[in-house]
Amino acid sequence: MAALGWLTPRRRSATARSVLAGEAAAEAARKSSQTIEALQELEGEHAPPAEPVFPVAGDVHAAAFFDLDNTVMQGAAIFHFGRGLYKRKFFHRSELARFAWQQAWFRLAGVEDPEHMQDARESALSIVKGHRVSELMTIGEEIYDEYMADRIWPGTRALAQAHLDAGQKVWLVTAAPVETATIIARRLGLTGALGTVAESVDGVYTGKLVGEPLHGPAKAEAVRALAAAEGLDLERCAAYSDSHNDIPMLSLVGHPYAINPDTKLRKHARARDWRLRDYRTGRKAAKVGIPAAAGVGALAGGTAAAVALHRRRR
């Protein structure tokens, strides 16, 4: 009994200390909560107004312009198109070697070689000459399902959908042929596409371009012209791209976004406090030429399409 009596006060004392500690902690938490609430109210009085929701629902004078390759789609769309043609045995790998090398050089060097660009463009146009536009469109529909549908960036797709949900028009703006761009835009439920236009008469390619490839400054001019025709206020519009080549287009609008940006665009965007979104993963995302599918690039793919059409010449 003596031993039990010796233990009882100690047990009660420990329980009392625990209760006291719990009560003290609760009181401190209550006071700290009141302090935090008071500070939040004070900060709210001096805080700048919250950024308005964007895109603005019902703003019919605003629209969104999306670059295609590596912005909406992983890799170059026209390259995937070329893959589909190659699978169908419309041309041989050796026929693409020269053009693939030219585009690979561009991807690694980060600058365009005018001679490479001109050579690839003239070769493609000469081969396409005499073929029907409908032929390219029919093939493109099949190849979209095979190679492109699963390569759409979900994050960028959600951005485009936000503009559509706000009642705004959404356009693709790409150096890819307008026929290919139009197929992709329609499949994604977008408004339409601005792309490189090859001249055609009565539905047959003449072998000439209308103007020049829709690249760099040409994209900005296309957006400017479309905005004027649609009655858009460019300051209320948004543009999205991965490439520093599209800085002219991004600078044209009031809401520029750098999506999966290359090194030069990332630096430019940060300096100007543009919004950035990167949906790639891993360290390779920051390197030139990622995704790997873009390694041979748009020009090589475009030539693949042209060669394929040549093989199918009637």
Side-chain angles (χ1 to χ4, degrees), residues 60-61 101 117 175 192 202 226 259:
V60 296
H61 294 290
W101 158 248
M117 297 284 286
D202 296 329
L226 183 63
I259 306 294

Side-chain angles (χ1 to χ4, degrees), residues 74-89:
Q74 299 178 48
I78 197 64
F79 171 72
H80 296 312
F81 184 72
R83 287 181 63 195
L85 297 178
Y86 177 76
K87 177 183 177 181
R88 290 164 170 77
K89 303 184 185 302

Side-chain angles (χ1 to χ4, degrees), residues 228-243:
E230 294 280 322
L232 302 174
D233 181 353
L234 287 171
E235 279 298 316
R236 291 147 73 173
C237 292
Y240 303 77
S241 179
D242 73 299
S243 174

Side-chain angles (χ1 to χ4, degrees), residues 53-58 64 66 154-170 190 240 257:
V53 176
F54 183 81
V56 179
F66 284 80
T156 311
R157 180 69 184 88
L159 292 174
Q161 189 60 49
H163 286 279
L164 293 171
D165 291 343
Q168 298 174 5
K169 293 182 178 180
V170 178
L190 308 183
Y240 303 77
Y257 284 76

Side-chain angles (χ1 to χ4, degrees), residues 80-81 84-85 88 139-148:
H80 296 312
F81 184 72
L85 297 178
R88 290 164 170 77
I139 295 171
E141 292 285 353
E142 298 174 359
I143 293 177
Y144 176 84
D145 292 324
E146 295 176 1
Y147 292 107
M148 302 180 187

Side-chain angles (χ1 to χ4, degrees), residues 194-219:
L194 297 167
T196 298
V197 179
E199 183 183 75
S200 63
V201 176
D202 296 329
V204 177
Y205 289 113
T206 66
K208 300 178 182 179
L209 284 183
V210 178
E212 62 181 11
L214 200 66
H215 178 77
K219 284 189 177 181

Side-chain angles (χ1 to χ4, degrees), residues 245-269:
N245 292 316
D246 289 337
I247 288 176
M249 178 180 74
L250 295 171
S251 301
L252 195 63
V253 301
H255 301 276
Y257 284 76
I259 306 294
N260 305 328
D262 60 27
T263 302
K264 290 183 179 180
L265 178 57
R266 184 182 295 274
K267 181 179 180 180
H268 188 91

